[in-house]
Amino acid sequence: MISLLSWIETFILSNITVLPIAIGLLMAPVMLFLRNKPKAQKVMAVIASTTLLVIAAILFWVVYKNGIQVYDIGEFGKYGIVLVGDMLSALMVLLTAFIGLLVMIYSFDYIEKKSLSMSYYPLYYLMMAGIFGIFLTGDLFNLFVFFEIMFLSSTGLIMANEALSVTDTAHKLEATYKYMALGMIGSFMMLVAIVTIYATVGSLNMADLSAKIQMIAETGSIPWVIIAAALLFIVVFGNKAALVPLHFWLPDVHPTAPTPISAMLSGILIKVGAYCILRVLFLILYPTQAFFLPILMFFSLLTIAVGAISAMGQTDIKRVLAYSSVSQIGYVLLGLSLGTVGAIAAAIMYLVNHALAKSMLFLTAGGIIHETHTRDLRKMGGLITILPLFSMAFLIGTMSIAGFPPMGGFVSKFALFQSAVSGEFWLPLLIAVLMAVITIFYMFRTWIAVFWGENKGSLKEAEDGVTDVPMLEGENAAAESAAVSTAESAQAEQAQAAMQTATHATVSAPVKKHKISFEIAFPIAALCAAVILLGIFPEPLYEISNIIATQILDPTEYITAVLGGAPR
């Protein structure tokens, strides 16, 4: 027994870098084979997602204690598959596994049962494998492969059916088409950039590319084709990160996608774009930062402003959160563009806190939609006593996104502004602070619109099965004609009076508190706890973020771990 446990421990530790990807890829066919056994699927999903979280925690601890972990798949040298777990990638894997587990639990009650058992589970674990692969891969071609896995599986998940949907099918198809079309164009551009880099430098290994491009920069100017390829990479990853003006897919996809997938899109998938931009600019193209960082700063400020201003004019609760995600990812990229240790550390903290808070806000919004059968803020109101859990969760998320203590968002936003002051970036700081004030306005306005004031009857309409679709003109005329015919009867006046009384009672009668299922309540509560804990105890995340920022600005440790200190 002891020898078996020892073998398991040795196996896990020696393969810790590849296990997150392998488990995700393995679970996809397993879930497909179990498609006619929904209970078995649910049990396997909990086991697999929990295992992924445990493996991710072990990976993070091993990297934190022992340094960068390198895993070669096959003895192909610089042409083979190499997985690299440094502090940044380990943190991103842990964050993804944590949110992924909660989103999976949430999906049990939110996704339509047939869709859940037939396609949702396999596509979900393929998406998770793709995300893990992006964070852990050490070469460009396999970055492309994992990008495709993530892109194709997430496209299918956007089309998944919700148990109670208020989304028109035509709108869902339109949003999916935009996402798919832009993704396919991005895939082509990414492949062109990879081929260009390989033809110019002769390698695809990120560490090898970094070492060779540094040698080229020391001996002379960097070839223009490398700069052109880098710009292609920034466009591709900027599209994934919803960087303005490449953001227009996101406000359509987030509201129409199932709420659990909206949480993953906003919490993790757009962070994939920011992560890849960081890898390209600070690892592969380390000597070209003076050229690219001002460009990134301009577009990050544009993203902050466009996202915040657009969010103010929305009446759809999920579109408000979608535009907010555009604005908030701009703050992450702004921190990267400042290029100092403090700014990059603040950007990492901001990324983590936003991922947790925005995932929780989307899950809370999904619960509200589930109960009211509408996304329209104008049809909500007065839900604070009816849905107290959602009210408290949405307030916590609002405070974190707006940067109010004691939430995690306050610490990260304060650290970002402080780093801008230290570096004397006065104009970016002014724009960022102004947009932060606008963020406070639209986030608290949304909370007030949903939970404050009088209940407009949305919950009662949902209970009575009233849909959110207005009548067409012809249907309205037919209804009026029927009403006139009824009025001709002897009891018309009495019937009309009774109808008005019943209607008034429907709107004004108090609605009892709704019972929220465990599958919906637990993920929201867990994310709320994480947001509050990171605000009250920010020191561990601050320390980790500073370690990551130091490693990012000096890629020597990464190169040495992968190559042994010299290009191949």
Side-chain angles (χ1 to χ4, degrees):
M1 185 65 179
I2 296 176
S3 60
L4 177 61
L5 292 176
S6 177
W7 180 86
I8 293 174
E9 180 183 359
T10 303
F11 175 81
I12 291 175
L13 292 178
S14 59
N15 297 280
I16 192 67
T17 311
V18 74
L19 282 177
I21 304 170
I23 293 173
L25 293 176
L26 176 64
M27 287 307 300
V30 169
M31 288 300 190
L32 195 59
F33 289 136
L34 295 175
R35 62 186 179 276
N36 295 323
K37 299 178 180 179
K39 291 184 178 180
Q41 280 185 318
K42 187 174 181 179
V43 172
M44 286 299 298
V46 172
I47 293 173
S49 297
T50 305
T51 302
L52 283 172
L53 179 57
V54 173
I55 293 295
I58 295 172
L59 172 63
F60 180 81
W61 181 254
V62 169
V63 173
Y64 180 75
K65 286 296 184 181
N66 302 328
I68 297 174
Q69 303 295 302
V70 180
Y71 189 93
D72 289 313
I73 302 178
E75 297 180 0
F76 299 102
K78 64 185 178 183
Y79 303 106
I81 301 174
V82 59
L83 303 177
V84 184
D86 63 351
M87 284 294 293
L88 175 61
S89 58
L91 177 64
M92 295 304 296
V93 168
L94 179 60
L95 181 66
T96 302
F98 177 67
I99 295 177
L101 170 62
L102 298 177
V103 166
M104 175 54 70
I105 295 172
Y106 188 95
S107 301
F108 293 153
D109 189 51
Y110 203 89
I111 301 297
E112 188 262 331
K113 300 304 179 185
K114 183 177 179 181
S115 178
L116 190 68
S117 61
M118 293 298 291
S119 61
Y120 188 86
Y121 290 120
L123 290 174
Y124 187 85
Y125 283 107
L126 280 176
M127 181 184 71
M128 293 290 286
I131 296 172
F132 290 142
I134 290 170
F135 291 146
L136 292 171
T137 187
D139 66 278
L140 285 178
F141 182 75
N142 289 291
L143 178 67
F144 170 77
V145 172
F146 288 123
F147 232 92
E148 289 299 288
I149 294 173
M150 179 193 72
F151 162 62
L152 294 174
S153 55
S154 60
T155 302
L157 288 169
I158 291 170
M159 288 298 296
N161 296 322
E162 298 169 288
L164 294 171
S165 178
V166 299
T167 303
D168 185 73
T169 303
H171 293 164
K172 184 184 284 283
L173 288 171
E174 178 186 355
T176 306
Y177 176 78
K178 289 180 180 179
Y179 182 78
M180 186 165 56
L182 288 173
M184 292 174 66
I185 294 171
S187 297
F188 175 75
M189 294 174 64
M190 185 176 178
L191 198 57
V192 170
I194 290 172
V195 170
T196 301
I197 290 287
Y198 180 74
T200 307
V201 183
S203 179
L204 293 174
N205 185 290
M206 293 182 186
D208 197 37
L209 285 170
S210 179
K212 287 184 175 179
I213 291 176
Q214 286 189 50
M215 292 174 60
I216 293 172
E218 291 171 359
T219 56
S221 60
I222 297 176
W224 69 269
V225 289
I226 295 180
I227 303 297
L231 289 173
L232 284 178
F233 278 127
I234 292 175
V235 170
V236 172
F237 301 142
N239 172 62
K240 184 58 64 178
L243 186 70
V244 173
L246 305 169
H247 71 292
F248 59 88
W249 62 270
L250 187 145
D252 288 337
V253 171
H254 277 54
T256 57
T259 294
I261 303 307
S262 298
M264 288 298 294
L265 287 170
S266 183
I268 299 298
L269 264 70
I270 64 172
K271 309 303 189 300
V272 168
Y275 171 88
C276 292
I277 289 175
L278 189 154
R279 285 298 190 201
V280 168
L281 295 186
F282 290 92
L283 177 61
I284 299 175
L285 297 173
Y286 179 76
T288 66
Q289 291 179 26
F291 176 78
F292 284 110
L293 291 187
I295 298 174
L296 182 62
M297 180 182 294
F298 171 78
F299 283 104
S300 64
L301 291 171
L302 185 63
T303 301
I304 292 171
V306 170
I309 294 171
S310 299
M312 289 195 298
Q314 305 304 314
T315 57
D316 183 320
I317 186 172
K318 289 181 75 173
R319 288 184 74 87
V320 172
L321 298 179
Y323 276 112
S324 173
S325 293
V326 173
S327 180
Q328 297 303 302
I329 198 66
Y331 282 99
V332 174
L333 295 173
L334 175 63
L336 299 182
S337 69
L338 297 181
T340 64
V341 172
I344 294 175
I348 300 300
M349 294 175 65
Y350 207 111
L351 185 151
V352 173
N353 282 294
H354 178 262
L356 296 170
K358 190 55 66 70
S359 297
M360 184 263 290
L361 281 170
F362 266 109
L363 296 184
T364 305
I368 296 167
I369 296 167
H370 206 159
E371 297 296 329
T372 62
H373 291 198
T374 182
R375 298 199 311 255
D376 195 336
L377 292 171
R378 296 167 296 184
K379 297 183 179 180
M380 300 180 186
L383 303 182
I384 189 168
T385 57
I386 302 167
L387 301 172
L389 171 64
F390 294 159
S391 173
M392 182 60 66
F394 205 94
L395 180 60
I396 290 172
T398 294
M399 292 176 66
S400 184
I401 296 297
F404 275 61
M407 307 305 166
F410 165 75
V411 179
S412 54
K413 189 165 287 187
F414 181 82
L416 181 60
F417 292 166
Q418 186 180 44
S419 64
V421 171
S422 300
E424 298 184 350
F425 295 99
W426 302 115
L427 181 59
L429 176 63
L430 177 63
I431 296 173
V433 170
L434 179 61
M435 293 303 112
V437 174
I438 294 178
T439 302
I440 295 172
F441 167 75
Y442 71 73
M443 288 303 300
F444 278 96
R445 186 198 64 173
T446 302
W447 184 82
I448 291 171
V450 176
F451 298 103
W452 214 245
E454 296 182 1
N455 179 257
K456 300 180 177 63
S458 56
L459 279 175
K460 187 63 180 175
E461 290 176 1
E463 290 175 347
D464 295 339
V466 179
T467 62
D468 197 35
V469 182
M471 286 191 296
L472 300 177
E473 185 176 353
E475 295 172 336
N476 192 33
E480 291 177 358
S481 177
V484 171
S485 299
T486 304
E488 294 176 355
S489 65
Q491 300 177 349
E493 294 182 0
Q494 296 178 1
Q496 187 174 4
M499 183 178 297
Q500 290 177 351
T501 302
T503 302
H504 182 267
T506 296
V507 175
S508 60
V511 184
K512 295 180 180 180
K513 292 182 180 180
H514 282 222
K515 184 178 181 181
I516 308 301
S517 68
F518 173 82
E519 289 87 350
I520 299 293
F522 174 74
I524 294 174
L527 287 168
C528 284
V531 170
I532 295 172
L533 285 174
L534 287 180
I536 298 175
F537 304 105
E539 292 84 3
L541 181 60
Y542 180 78
E543 177 190 350
I544 292 166
S545 298
N546 273 280
I547 294 173
I548 293 172
T550 303
Q551 291 180 347
I552 287 171
L553 287 176
D554 184 8
T556 304
E557 183 181 356
Y558 186 100
I559 296 171
T560 302
V562 177
L563 303 179
R568 298 182 180 180

